Amino acid sequence: MTELKTETITINMGPQHPSTHGVFRLILTLDGETVVDVEPVVGYLHRNHEKIGEKNNWIQNTPFTDRLDYISPMSNEFAYVLAVEKLAEIEPPERAKYIRIIMVELNRIVNHMIAVGFLLNELGCFFTPMFYCLRWRELVVDLYEMTAGSRMMPNYFWIGGVSADLPEKFLPECKEFVDAVPGFIDELERLLTDNEILQMRCRNVGVLPPDVAVEYGCTGPLLRASGVPYDIRKAEPYSIYDRFDFDIAAGTVGDVLDRYLVRIAEMRQSAKIVEQALRDLPEGETATPKKRKFRPPEGDVYHRIEAPKGELGFYLVSDGSENPYRYKIRAPSFVNLQSLPYMCRGHKIADVVIIIGSIDITMGEVDR
Amino acid sequence: MLGFGILKGMSVTLRRFVDTYVGDLGKFPWRYRSRPVYKRMGITERGAFTIQYPEERVAMFPRYRGPLMLLTDPEKGITRCIGCGLCERTCPTESIKVTRAEEKVDDQRVPETYEYDMNTCMFCGFCVQICPQDALGHSPELEMGTYSKGDALILNLDQMLELGRKHAPGGVWPLEKEAEPS
Amino acid sequence: MEAIQGILEFIDQIFVKLSFWFSAQLANFLPDWGVTFIMMFATVLVLIVFGLASIIWINVFERKIIGRIQDRYGPNRFGPWGLLQCVADMIKLLTKEDVTPTKADRLIFNLAAVAPVIPTFMILAVLPFGRGMVAADLSIGYLYIVAVGCLGTIAIFMAGWSSRNKYALLGGMRTVAQMISYEIPMVLSVVGVLLLVGSLSMVSIVEAQGQWRLPFVVLQPLAFVLYFTAAVAEVNRSPFDLPEGESEIVAGYHTEYSGIKFAMFLLAEYINAFSICAIATTVFLGGWQGPILPSWAWFFIKTYFLYFVLIWMRGTLPRLRVDQLMNFSWKTLVPLALANLMLTALVAKLVPQYSHVGAIAFLVMNVVVIVCIALVKYPRWRRDRREVVLVPRTATPQVDSS
Amino acid sequence: MSVEQVVFLVLAVAAVGSAVGVVISRNIFYSALLLVACLFIVAGFYVLLEAPFLAAVQVLIYVGAIAVLIIFAIMLTERMMSKTVRGWNEQWWIALIVTVCLVAVMLYVVVTANWQVSDAATPSDAIVALGQTLLSTYVLPFEVASVILLMALIGAIIIAREEEPVGVVGEQKEEER
């Protein structure tokens, strides 16, 4: 009796499953409750985003980028707009640059709140932390609506600036929000970080060693939790990130717990950045004059930013016409998802769920 | 360790539990405010944050991007739209169709038909921003639900003008400018 | 003064008197055995109606509390303060299509929907709801509860197996493993109390607490915590709700059930949760004993307080994992329950019963046990604390990818 | 016929019926469930004999633990799930002989035994008496039984144990790469 022969069972997790963050299917091979193999199946939400991008003209693409990672629309717009500006060599006004930073960092807070909230929800907290987090997201989307007119699909960033100046009430409310964020995060941490069950569940689950993370091309909090302090905001500062003082949070082990802690630490840092940006916000114009169409020079460009989920890059090829010749997105969720089978093998089925939650994917971005 | 983390967490939830009742006391006896409230909830305010929708209605932000409306010039009494079709060409989802009328009214060109298809509209707001006459605006309408998609959600010229007269009598958008005395 | 006492006494005994009056009326025109039969039948009917009716408020109670915990109002649309929400839900469930999967084993699938409800109602029979208000004061009281409680396992397992759904099967397997494991600490933790009482009868347990003039939770706090934890696991409530962990295995054993059959599982779950609170009240919180208020009022106050704690836990805590669940039972609860039992036996032998010295001795014993555990666990907890590293400024890091 | 006799008859018919069902049912899962029913009815007999303690223990141990284990084993065993398990195999005649012998012996015992009827009322605190007897008069068999059970447990663990412990998750992954 050296080994008991057991039979594996195959389970289809998804496309309709409560915790696959959208329409995502996993084919799990289980030995009892232990995961032997995982095969992710993506593409249920595919909607020809890149092809549509080639049909639209350069300006018309911004509202479509909102639909990529619908949790953090501002970051998507930011990446696209920066890429086009790099291609066409447009310099937005100073005030617009600061406004962009404020929006994008607020977006990072929102995204991490959603990520942490859903992770805890998948741990079985019955929506409580999620509702607390959603409440704070609500405050941010209110700020978005106040400024841009739409909560989830703001279409706020323009090529060469932002679509409208900040409304009067924005500054005091944003200041109040940013001041309140650390208190809220403290409360969230008091709620669950020290919780024995959470510690038990997350510790040493889904470990991704740094070298493996790099090999898989993981970026964002996933990579930083593995102990690689790589952040594009620091590594190759774009826009005006070199003017702000902030730290990169890095984990030590690379498990789910580290990702949770890294996200929480990043929220604090983002609040710090917004505070500095609000302090230094200059007066002046917010956009270069608006046009219906414009033709960037021929050439190609790749621009990447540190989106909340990782490296978000736009590769654009221009043939000098009104439309992009090629419009390619390097989506962080899609790349980060590749490491899922590696992390899941040997764990229990309940761990698969929290590992997915800790990667923080949005299917809109994975499938495009 | 030993459940102290659990107890700490439970103290947080208990506090929230009590806070909602304290918040209710603050609203006593008007639990449901019947007038629209501008602020959905305070940032530092505690307590239940749901809005009891049919009773409590939140006023939309002035810049809220709802369905399109055509603005009327209050002095002339006709629409500002000259039917140039720039909105039609800039629309990424091809939701707008405009034709220009042959004869002018009050020395101004006017549209003959205007068809706005809300089924495909993505509310990006490009048409409003591009309009050379500032004749388009977003109405703060949010209860546009119908029982069927299709024709019910396609607005014609008259309906859009009606929306404009209803929500922006001053004929300007964003609505925050409307409030300013000028 | 005496008049007030008389009124209090009357309110206290109102249900008992009612039942005497009813049987006296019956005796006028029925033979002895007929009265007995009808009284038995009436008692059962009352219990079942109580069980079914309590769902109506327990459900709303639970959803409103969870809502408040989550900064929401909870159901408040149907009926005053949303109190009739459950009625609306029931109507919805009853009018839903009753689906039986094609591949399912029809007989067992349908049987399994009814089976879990029976033992839950059987448990209600031995609970003393007030002074003299117990349907059957069995001499084997607590053993009966445990024995009947384990019948639910088979019902859930039947449901999981007959659905022919892999999620249901996983849920069923989890349930069985969990329920068998947690029965042991649940029984062992109460044995300490039984040792002090010297009887298994639920009524004697309550009366013994009257003699101590203290609820057993003071004498046996550790046992109370152990019992409550194990019992929560036994009825599959959060944080031990793995059999129906909705984020992992959809809905576990009742994934395939819909409509009225699903409602039956829900019914069983709620009554079970109520039962464990009622048992904890009886065994540890002094049951119906309490000043001024009528005995049944005290019983329900204590029970619903415990139910509130249950909901509170559900609103706060994450779920455990399967292997951790098993570890927790076998490596933490069972040894602690055993230690508690042995120490209780020792102390009970040394100190006189029903005395203050005895009470203090028991309390000291429990404190000593808890401090010992803390001393053992604390260094490891210190070592395991994890914090993120904040890196102020870095260039692109070099990763050794060899 | 008194009430007890009626109840006994009903229980007896149910017990025998479910027992027969266990044997002849084609679906082994049904057999297991009928076994549960049969064991449960036996608990009913104990209640009838005014031995509630024994009844509770019967339900607790046989229905709650052993039957669940049997069902567990059936469910997790391959091919047992299929609905048409054959009711007999080549050794049916051996089984028949053994069964006939067994029935004969039991009949002989039933017929020849001297059934004593006790007039003494059942003591009210039977559990206390039972406990005291188990730990005084019959303490040796009680302890021996527990030791045997412990040995069986340890034996089961030793047999089921895998020789080489499965590596830690991290190690497994090292090999895979």
Side-chain angles (χ1 to χ4, degrees):
Chain A
M1 291 287 282
T2 50
E3 206 177 303
L4 291 169
K5 187 183 165 289
T6 54
E7 189 145 325
T8 56
I9 56 173
T10 308
I11 277 195
N12 258 318
M13 203 176 192
Q16 274 88 37
H17 188 278
S19 46
T20 46
H21 292 235
V23 248
F24 172 45
R25 179 169 156 222
L26 280 172
I27 302 172
L28 297 174
T29 312
L30 300 180
D31 178 6
E33 288 231 1
T34 312
V35 177
V36 180
D37 200 14
V38 181
E39 194 187 320
V41 183
V42 297
Y44 289 91
L45 211 58
H46 187 71
R47 56 202 187 283
N48 281 323
H49 185 92
E50 291 178 358
K51 192 66 199 169
I52 291 174
E54 288 165 22
K55 172 241 148 198
N56 284 337
N57 67 35
W58 294 92
I59 293 173
Q60 283 174 340
N61 264 332
T62 23
F64 284 89
T65 55
D66 287 340
R67 273 87 176 159
L68 273 177
D69 175 0
Y70 38 80
I71 308 291
S72 41
M74 291 287 190
S75 298
N76 303 333
E77 288 174 13
F78 195 32
Y80 175 71
V81 163
L82 280 179
V84 179
E85 281 170 2
K86 195 169 164 186
L87 183 67
E89 286 168 359
I90 299 170
E91 186 70 17
E94 273 301 281
R95 186 173 168 87
K97 284 183 183 172
Y98 275 91
I99 293 175
R100 284 177 179 183
I101 297 292
I102 292 170
M103 290 298 174
V104 168
E105 290 304 320
L106 284 177
N107 209 151
R108 196 182 306 277
I109 297 175
V110 166
N111 182 77
H112 286 349
M113 271 183 190
I114 296 261
V116 167
F118 273 94
L119 172 66
L120 295 174
N121 191 30
E122 275 151 15
L123 278 165
C125 290
F126 199 73
F127 298 101
T128 306
M130 203 182 87
F131 270 107
Y132 294 176
C133 289
L134 281 179
R135 175 181 183 154
W136 286 74
R137 171 175 191 261
E138 205 62 13
L139 296 168
V140 173
V141 292
D142 273 359
L143 291 177
Y144 284 178
E145 191 180 358
M146 186 194 287
T147 316
S150 184
R151 302 163 78 74
M152 268 183 86
M153 308 292 163
N155 187 21
Y156 183 55
F157 292 4
W158 269 13
I159 296 163
V162 290
S163 72
D165 198 1
L166 299 173
E168 261 172 54
K169 286 166 190 148
F170 182 88
L171 287 179
E173 284 201 15
C174 186
K175 185 83 181 75
E176 203 185 341
F177 173 79
V178 169
D179 290 344
V181 164
F184 167 70
I185 297 170
D186 285 344
E187 193 185 17
L188 190 68
E189 287 218 78
R190 218 167 37 246
L191 175 62
L192 279 166
T193 304
D194 275 349
N195 188 301
E196 285 77 5
I197 302 174
L198 179 116
Q199 295 270 340
M200 259 193 325
R201 280 296 301 273
C202 295
R203 206 176 275 275
N204 297 327
V205 167
V207 179
L208 193 64
D211 50 337
V212 183
V214 171
E215 277 171 24
Y216 272 113
C218 299
T219 43
L222 190 65
L223 178 68
R224 288 193 284 276
S226 296
V228 185
Y230 173 71
D231 189 323
I232 301 169
R233 288 177 294 174
K234 289 277 189 191
E236 41 178 82
Y238 51 91
S239 191
I240 49 167
Y241 269 111
D242 45 357
R243 299 183 200 172
F244 300 109
D245 170 36
F246 65 100
D247 299 332
I248 303 173
T252 44
V253 181
D255 53 5
V256 176
L257 183 60
D258 265 343
R259 282 168 221 151
Y260 166 80
L261 293 173
V262 161
R263 290 214 168 87
I264 283 184
E266 277 187 16
M267 279 195 257
R268 293 183 197 276
Q269 298 300 325
S270 288
K272 223 165 105 182
I273 295 176
V274 178
E275 217 174 319
Q276 293 170 40
L278 284 175
R279 194 189 59 209
D280 301 342
L281 185 69
E283 291 295 321
E285 285 295 305
T286 54
T288 49
K290 58 184 173 186
K291 298 178 199 162
R292 194 176 70 80
K293 281 176 181 173
F294 93 117
R295 292 186 171 81
E298 273 182 51
D300 62 338
V301 68
Y302 178 73
H303 190 79
R304 54 185 183 169
I305 66 155
E306 182 71 26
K309 293 184 166 68
E311 177 186 326
L312 174 64
F314 276 82
Y315 176 65
L316 303 169
V317 182
S318 163
D319 57 357
S321 68
E322 287 170 5
N323 307 341
Y325 178 75
R326 179 82 177 92
Y327 172 83
K328 163 90 179 79
I329 303 156
R330 190 255 185 227
S333 294
F334 180 66
V335 180
N336 288 350
L337 193 59
Q338 310 306 315
S339 55
L340 179 69
Y342 176 88
M343 288 193 273
C344 288
R345 263 175 233 136
H347 287 301
K348 300 273 181 269
I349 182 170
D351 294 333
V352 174
V353 171
I354 61 166
I355 291 171
I356 295 175
S358 73
I359 298 176
D360 183 19
I361 51 169
T362 305
M363 289 320 283
E365 195 178 50
V366 175
D367 291 342
R368 295 197 289 283
Chain B
M1 188 207 53
L2 267 185
F4 286 138
I6 289 175
L7 291 180
K8 227 158 59 172
M10 288 181 72
S11 73
V12 172
T13 43
L14 185 68
R15 191 175 160 203
R16 293 279 187 141
F17 177 73
V18 175
D19 274 347
T20 56
Y21 284 103
V22 174
D24 270 9
L25 278 182
K27 288 181 200 167
F28 184 82
W30 307 277
R31 165 94 169 259
Y32 304 125
R33 289 164 288 188
S34 53
R35 63 194 168 76
V37 277
Y38 157 62
K39 262 182 110 173
R40 286 134 215 261
M41 64 178 164
I43 285 165
T44 46
E45 196 181 308
R46 305 182 71 96
F49 71 97
T50 34
I51 292 164
Q52 301 290 316
Y53 166 60
E55 292 92 356
E56 295 180 357
R57 280 160 192 268
V58 173
M60 289 290 113
F61 288 107
R63 290 184 189 177
Y64 170 71
R65 293 210 307 261
L68 292 182
M69 58 185 178
L70 276 175
L71 302 174
T72 310
D73 192 335
E75 282 156 25
K76 286 186 183 174
I78 55 163
T79 175
R80 289 198 170 143
C81 178
I82 52 168
C84 66
L86 210 54
C87 44
E88 183 181 333
R89 268 172 286 153
T90 201
C91 180
T93 56
E94 296 166 6
S95 312
I96 300 172
K97 285 189 179 61
V98 202
T99 52
R100 183 178 265 188
E102 288 298 320
E103 58 274 357
K104 294 180 179 176
V105 179
D106 276 5
D107 252 6
Q108 186 199 316
R109 287 207 165 268
V110 285
E112 185 175 17
T113 59
Y114 201 103
E115 201 175 85
Y116 163 54
D117 186 354
M118 235 192 296
N119 294 297
T120 53
C121 178
M122 67 197 278
F123 302 99
C124 62
F126 277 144
C127 43
V128 175
Q129 281 164 352
I130 209 74
C131 184
Q133 293 294 98
D134 288 336
L136 273 172
H138 295 286
S139 63
E141 199 79 43
L142 67 153
E143 287 152 331
M144 300 293 279
T146 58
Y147 285 101
S148 63
K149 55 181 184 175
D151 290 351
L153 285 170
I154 298 177
L155 301 187
N156 59 26
L157 184 62
D158 291 338
Q159 284 167 317
M160 292 186 68
L161 282 170
E162 181 55 38
L163 271 180
R165 272 185 233 110
K166 184 178 161 200
H167 293 293
V172 279
W173 194 90
L175 298 174
E176 57 196 357
K177 285 186 194 148
E178 180 97 350
E180 288 168 15
S182 58
Chain C
M1 200 63 210
E2 271 178 25
I4 294 172
Q5 261 181 353
I7 292 168
L8 287 180
E9 179 70 22
F10 176 74
I11 297 172
D12 187 26
Q13 292 298 308
I14 188 163
F15 294 109
V16 182
K17 291 216 166 86
L18 208 67
S19 108
F20 279 147
W21 175 81
F22 185 57
S23 67
Q25 294 295 311
L26 284 177
N28 287 340
F29 54 90
L30 276 180
D32 244 10
W33 60 268
V35 173
T36 318
F37 184 76
I38 294 210
M39 285 310 289
M40 261 160 80
F41 192 74
T43 317
V44 170
L45 203 69
V46 165
L47 283 181
I48 287 179
V49 168
F50 166 76
L52 291 173
S54 64
I55 297 304
I56 290 174
W57 67 76
I58 282 181
N59 191 330
V60 177
F61 189 58
E62 168 146 10
R63 289 172 62 178
K64 283 191 99 78
I65 289 173
I66 289 268
R68 291 286 175 168
I69 281 176
Q70 294 170 348
D71 285 359
R72 310 182 276 125
Y73 288 118
N76 63 357
R77 293 281 137 178
F78 194 55
W81 304 291
L83 286 179
L84 294 178
Q85 180 65 36
C86 187
V87 177
D89 285 349
M90 273 296 163
I91 292 169
K92 187 200 80 174
L93 282 174
L94 288 174
T95 50
K96 268 200 163 177
E97 188 190 352
D98 181 24
V99 182
T100 311
T102 354
K103 287 276 181 69
D105 193 319
R106 275 177 177 276
L107 179 69
I108 300 184
F109 185 79
N110 291 323
L111 205 61
V114 193
V117 185
I118 301 163
T120 52
F121 280 116
M122 281 167 79
I123 288 180
L124 294 180
V126 293
L127 293 178
F129 289 95
R131 191 175 284 119
M133 282 167 64
V134 57
D137 180 21
L138 295 184
S139 63
I140 52 159
Y142 190 68
L143 197 65
Y144 168 85
I145 287 173
V146 175
V148 169
C150 71
L151 290 177
T153 321
I154 292 175
I156 286 175
F157 199 62
M158 278 157 67
W161 180 82
S162 63
S163 300
R164 301 285 158 105
N165 175 316
K166 282 167 185 165
Y167 288 119
L169 192 69
L170 278 177
M173 270 155 55
R174 282 180 175 191
T175 316
V176 176
Q178 176 176 340
M179 286 174 102
I180 290 182
S181 309
Y182 276 85
E183 235 156 51
I184 294 158
M186 194 176 103
V187 176
L188 283 178
S189 56
V190 177
V191 171
V193 170
L194 299 178
L195 205 105
L196 294 177
V197 179
S199 166
L200 286 165
S201 152
M202 298 305 267
V203 174
S204 334
I205 292 174
V206 177
E207 276 162 0
Q209 296 178 71
Q211 277 175 304
W212 274 96
R213 290 168 197 285
L214 282 173
F216 278 134
V217 68
V218 181
L219 304 182
Q220 298 268 302
L222 189 61
F224 174 66
V225 173
L226 292 178
Y227 170 79
F228 201 64
T229 319
V232 169
E234 179 75 11
V235 298
N236 308 330
R237 296 278 305 203
S238 177
F240 306 101
D241 56 348
L242 290 100
E244 47 202 272
E246 85 286 335
S247 62
E248 299 150 21
I249 51 170
V250 191
Y253 57 88
H254 55 62
T255 306
E256 292 289 347
Y257 286 87
S258 65
I260 183 68
K261 288 187 215 153
F262 174 73
M264 295 295 249
F265 281 107
L266 223 62
L267 183 79
E269 191 187 316
Y270 279 116
I271 301 183
N272 264 332
F274 174 81
S275 300
I276 61 147
C277 294
I279 296 165
T281 304
T282 312
V283 177
F284 289 102
L285 296 185
W288 36 258
Q289 309 222 353
I292 305 170
L293 289 177
S295 56
W296 40 270
W298 272 112
F299 176 83
F300 283 112
I301 288 171
K302 289 170 183 175
T303 306
Y304 283 122
F305 172 71
L306 283 184
Y307 200 86
F308 171 74
V309 175
L310 216 63
I311 299 167
W312 184 14
M313 273 160 68
R314 182 171 178 221
T316 313
L317 300 181
R319 187 183 298 127
L320 276 92
R321 203 171 61 204
V322 174
D323 51 333
Q324 290 163 349
L325 184 89
M326 291 295 143
N327 278 351
F328 185 61
S329 171
W330 293 104
K331 293 186 182 167
T332 311
L333 293 182
V334 173
L336 276 179
L338 279 172
N340 179 59
L341 175 60
M342 283 169 69
L343 287 172
T344 306
L346 191 72
V347 177
K349 201 76 191 164
L350 293 179
V351 300
Q353 215 158 12
Y354 310 128
S355 68
H356 292 296
V357 185
I360 291 165
F362 278 118
L363 208 56
V364 168
M365 174 205 103
N366 275 292
V367 170
V368 167
V369 172
I370 290 168
V371 168
C372 284
I373 304 163
L375 285 179
V376 174
K377 289 269 181 183
Y378 185 68
R380 181 152 173 229
W381 177 73
R382 278 308 291 258
R383 201 186 62 222
D384 281 354
R385 284 218 65 164
R386 174 116 35 104
E387 260 158 29
V388 287
V389 188
L390 288 179
V391 188
R393 276 204 179 268
T394 48
T396 313
Q398 298 298 313
V399 177
D400 186 17
S401 59
S402 56
Chain D
M1 211 158 55
S2 71
V3 180
E4 276 85 8
Q5 279 169 322
V6 174
V7 174
F8 175 79
L9 270 179
V10 171
L11 285 181
V13 169
V16 172
S18 54
V20 171
V22 173
V23 182
I24 64 170
S25 171
R26 283 292 186 86
N27 187 334
I28 197 153
F29 193 77
Y30 283 18
S31 295
L33 288 180
L34 283 168
L35 182 67
V36 171
C38 186
L39 293 169
F40 195 67
I41 293 163
V42 171
F45 284 126
Y46 290 133
V47 174
L48 207 61
L49 293 171
E50 294 185 32
F53 179 75
L54 215 53
V57 170
Q58 165 89 9
V59 172
L60 185 59
I61 291 172
Y62 281 96
V63 180
I66 292 181
V68 170
L69 268 186
I70 289 172
I71 294 176
F72 218 66
I74 288 170
M75 203 198 65
L76 297 180
T77 314
E78 222 184 329
R79 281 187 293 121
M80 285 288 208
M81 297 268 276
S82 63
K83 282 190 172 179
T84 50
V85 176
R86 272 173 57 206
W88 63 86
N89 57 14
E90 305 80 45
Q91 298 172 349
W92 64 272
W93 53 275
I94 304 177
L96 185 69
I97 294 169
V98 173
T99 318
V100 167
C101 293
L102 195 67
V103 169
V105 171
M106 279 171 77
L107 276 178
Y108 175 75
V109 171
V110 168
V111 171
T112 58
N114 175 23
W115 297 100
Q116 287 184 335
V117 178
S118 165
D119 287 339
T122 324
S124 57
D125 54 347
I127 308 167
V128 178
L130 191 70
Q132 277 166 353
T133 326
L134 268 183
L135 288 179
S136 56
T137 321
Y138 299 106
V139 69
L140 191 65
F142 182 71
E143 290 298 326
V144 168
S146 59
V147 170
I148 288 172
L149 283 176
L150 183 67
M151 277 160 61
L153 266 179
I154 295 171
I157 292 169
I158 287 174
I159 290 170
R161 200 178 58 144
E162 294 175 23
E163 288 293 315
E164 285 170 45
V166 185
V168 193
V169 175
E171 288 174 15
Q172 254 180 334
K173 284 188 177 156
E174 280 297 318
E175 292 163 13
E176 275 167 28
R177 282 192 298 119

